Amino acid sequence: SLVKVDVYIYIDALEFIADNRNRLDVLNSLLMRINELENVYFLCSCRSTDLGSFIRIIGKYNIIEYNIKPISEDVLIGISKNIMVLKQIIKNSQYNSLLATPFYINFLAKLVDFSSIQDENQLRRKIWEEIICLNDSTIKPIIERIVLERATKFTLYSDVSKYDKTIIDNLLSNEVLIKNDDGIRLKYDIFEDICFEQYIDSLFDESKSDYSLFFKKLEKVGRCIYRRYQIWIENKLFSKTNRQKFLYTLVFTDSIPSTWKQQSIIGIIKSNYCQDFFGEYSRQIVNNNLLVKFVDIVNIYGFEINDISFKIGTFILKNKGFGRESLIKIIYEQEIYKTNFENDSSIKKLIYDYTNSI
C-alpha cells in the first residue's frame, strides 16, 4: 500500500455485471487484492434479486451485509401522520405493494388525484411521462439515449457535451439527472428501469407484429437487454391489448430465435400476471409437449432471493411469480400425475418447492 490512510472503494449497482463473466473475474481479482491490504475497504450496492450471481465470489471474503427491507405497516402509519394524502391511500389495498417502496411513497404523496392509478404499471407510466420526461416529448429521446449509452457501453456516465445544454439544465434542476464533472446519468436506478420498459414498449408497438424486426432491434442494445426484456415480459406484456398473438408466436411456433424464446418463458413464469395465460393455453402447452420445458424452467428460474448469508455462502429462496402455481394447477386439472410423465422428478421438485415456499 502506498498510502497509510484508510481507502474506501465503492461500486454502485453491482447487478449490472451479474451476467458478465469477464467483469465478475475482474471483481474477484479486485477483492483478492483488497483482502491483502489492511487499510482498503470495499463497499457496494446490489439489488437482492441479483445477489445470487455473486455468492461464489463474495462468499470468500468477510463481507458484512446490510439489507433495506420494505417499509412496514407500522412505519407507514407513522409517516402518514405527517403526509395527509397517505392516510387516504393506505385505506385502499390496491396500493399495498407500492407503499412498501420509499420512492413510490415520495411520488404518491405529491399527487393531488391518484384515483386513475390502479396498479404499479400505471404509476410507472405516470412517472415516465410527468416526472422523467416532464410532459415534454422532446425530452424522451434524450433520456433514452443517455440510458442506452450507459447500458451498452457499461459506463457510469454519458458525456454531457453530446446534448442540448438547455434541456440538460432543465433535467438537472428537476432532479431527473445528476452530473459529475462532464458526465450525466439518471438520478435513480428505478428511472432507468422505467425508461427501458417504455423503450421496449415502443419497439414492440412499432414492430406491428414483425417480431423478427423487434428482436433484431433489441439485440442491438447488447447483452444487458436480456434481463430488461425478462422484466418487461413479467410486468408489462400482460397488460398490453395486443399481446395475444405475440405470446402464441413466442411459445407455440419456431419463428422466434431460441434465445429469445427461453428469455420469454422465463419472464412469463416469473410474472405475477401470468395466470390468465396459463388458463387460456393450458391445453396447447400439454398437447405441444411443452409442459416439461415450462416445469424445468420454473424449477431453475422461478424464484427470488429471500435471505442470504455471505458467511456460509448460501441464500434462501422463495417463489417468484405465479408460474409454479399455475403449472401445478394444470398438472392437477388434467391429471398429468396419473400418466407416464416424461420426467416425474421435475414435477416432484415443482411441488416440493411450492409447498416449502422454496
Side-chain angles (χ1 to χ4, degrees), residues 104-115:
Y104 286 151
I105 289 179
N106 185 50
F107 181 68
L108 285 167
K110 296 177 182 179
L111 293 180
V112 177
D113 178 21
F114 51 86
S115 59

Side-chain angles (χ1 to χ4, degrees), residues 11-27 45-58 151 154 223-228 230-231 270 301 305:
I11 299 179
D12 186 27
L14 204 61
E15 65 270 7
F16 285 103
I17 65 167
D19 60 351
N20 189 313
R21 185 173 295 278
N22 290 334
R23 291 178 182 268
L24 289 175
D25 290 340
V26 171
L27 175 64
S45 69
C46 182
R47 298 184 187 187
S48 58
T49 52
D50 292 292
L51 275 175
S53 300
F54 304 97
I55 189 70
R56 291 183 179 179
I57 297 176
I58 299 178
F154 286 97
R223 285 190 57 82
C224 66
I225 199 64
Y226 289 133
R227 186 171 67 91
R228 305 289 190 174
Q230 284 182 23
I231 294 172
K270 292 170 70 174
Y301 298 102
I305 292 175

Side-chain angles (χ1 to χ4, degrees), residues 63-163:
I63 300 291
I64 299 174
E65 177 194 8
Y66 297 92
N67 283 319
I68 299 178
K69 301 291 186 182
I71 294 176
S72 67
E73 185 177 348
D74 290 340
V75 171
L76 198 57
I77 291 172
I79 296 173
S80 68
K81 292 178 180 178
N82 299 314
I83 305 176
M84 294 302 296
V85 70
L86 283 181
K87 286 186 177 180
Q88 304 173 47
I89 299 174
I90 288 172
K91 295 176 182 178
N92 194 330
S93 60
Q94 71 187 19
Y95 298 106
N96 287 349
S97 62
L98 306 181
L99 294 172
T101 306
F103 177 83
Y104 286 151
I105 289 179
N106 185 50
F107 181 68
L108 285 167
K110 296 177 182 179
L111 293 180
V112 177
D113 178 21
F114 51 86
S115 59
S116 63
I117 299 174
Q118 302 297 319
D119 56 38
E120 186 172 352
N121 278 329
Q122 291 181 9
L123 177 58
R124 289 164 82 93
R125 179 72 184 180
K126 200 170 184 67
I127 292 172
W128 170 249
E129 294 172 347
E130 297 184 12
I131 302 298
I132 300 176
C133 295
L134 305 175
N135 289 319
D136 184 343
S137 60
T138 63
I139 288 177
K140 175 187 172 184
I142 293 176
I143 294 292
E144 287 185 348
R145 185 180 172 191
I146 293 170
V147 171
L148 291 172
E149 180 178 297
R150 271 186 16 89
T152 53
K153 296 182 178 179
F154 286 97
T155 57
L156 290 175
Y157 296 93
S158 180
D159 186 354
V160 69
S161 65
K162 297 178 180 179
Y163 309 99

Side-chain angles (χ1 to χ4, degrees), residues 273-302:
Y273 311 103
C274 66
Q275 297 100 315
D276 288 344
F277 166 80
F278 284 106
E280 293 166 11
Y281 294 113
S282 60
R283 289 289 176 187
Q284 289 95 322
I285 290 172
V286 174
N287 293 339
N288 285 274
N289 298 316
L290 289 171
L291 186 60
V292 174
K293 185 177 184 67
F294 270 91
V295 170
D296 287 343
I297 288 177
V298 167
N299 285 341
I300 297 172
Y301 298 102

Side-chain angles (χ1 to χ4, degrees), residues 116-330:
S116 63
I117 299 174
Q118 302 297 319
D119 56 38
E120 186 172 352
N121 278 329
Q122 291 181 9
L123 177 58
R124 289 164 82 93
R125 179 72 184 180
K126 200 170 184 67
I127 292 172
W128 170 249
E129 294 172 347
E130 297 184 12
I131 302 298
I132 300 176
C133 295
L134 305 175
N135 289 319
D136 184 343
S137 60
T138 63
I139 288 177
K140 175 187 172 184
I142 293 176
I143 294 292
E144 287 185 348
R145 185 180 172 191
I146 293 170
V147 171
L148 291 172
E149 180 178 297
R150 271 186 16 89
T152 53
K153 296 182 178 179
F154 286 97
T155 57
L156 290 175
Y157 296 93
S158 180
D159 186 354
V160 69
S161 65
K162 297 178 180 179
Y163 309 99
D164 182 277
K165 185 178 185 303
T166 302
I167 293 178
I168 295 301
D169 287 344
N170 185 26
L171 291 169
L172 288 168
S173 65
N174 281 279
E175 298 187 317
V176 177
L177 300 178
I178 55 174
K179 188 171 182 287
N180 183 14
D181 296 328
D182 296 326
I184 51 173
R185 60 164 290 172
L186 270 67
K187 184 172 183 179
Y188 303 106
D189 289 341
I190 199 169
F191 279 0
E192 294 201 345
D193 291 344
I194 293 171
C195 177
F196 266 106
E197 289 176 2
Q198 303 306 318
Y199 175 72
I200 297 174
D201 255 354
S202 297
L203 292 184
F204 179 77
D205 292 337
E206 290 168 5
S207 71
K208 299 185 184 301
S209 299
D210 184 349
Y211 304 134
S212 177
L213 177 63
F214 172 62
F215 287 117
K216 283 180 180 178
K217 288 183 177 180
L218 285 180
E219 286 171 353
K220 290 180 180 179
V221 180
R223 285 190 57 82
C224 66
I225 199 64
Y226 289 133
R227 186 171 67 91
R228 305 289 190 174
Y229 174 75
Q230 284 182 23
I231 294 172
W232 178 77
I233 290 282
E234 285 181 46
N235 298 328
K236 298 287 290 184
L237 181 61
F238 292 99
S239 66
K240 296 182 73 62
T241 55
N242 53 343
R243 74 184 189 277
Q244 294 290 359
K245 182 181 177 182
F246 181 59
L247 282 170
Y248 186 88
T249 305
L250 278 177
V251 178
F252 302 109
T253 74
D254 294 323
S255 60
I256 301 296
S258 58
T259 299
W260 288 107
K261 190 168 188 174
Q262 174 90 348
Q263 297 295 325
S264 301
I265 294 177
I266 292 172
I268 289 171
I269 60 96
K270 292 170 70 174
S271 175
N272 289 327
Y273 311 103
C274 66
Q275 297 100 315
D276 288 344
F277 166 80
F278 284 106
E280 293 166 11
Y281 294 113
S282 60
R283 289 289 176 187
Q284 289 95 322
I285 290 172
V286 174
N287 293 339
N288 285 274
N289 298 316
L290 289 171
L291 186 60
V292 174
K293 185 177 184 67
F294 270 91
V295 170
D296 287 343
I297 288 177
V298 167
N299 285 341
I300 297 172
Y301 298 102
F303 58 82
E304 61 185 348
I305 292 175
N306 188 37
D307 198 8
I308 190 166
S309 173
F310 291 129
K311 290 184 179 180
I312 59 175
T314 61
F315 48 90
I316 300 171
L317 306 176
K318 64 179 180 179
N319 291 316
K320 169 68 174 173
F322 285 93
R324 182 174 282 102
E325 180 180 312
S326 298
L327 288 171
I328 291 173
K329 184 178 181 181
I330 291 174

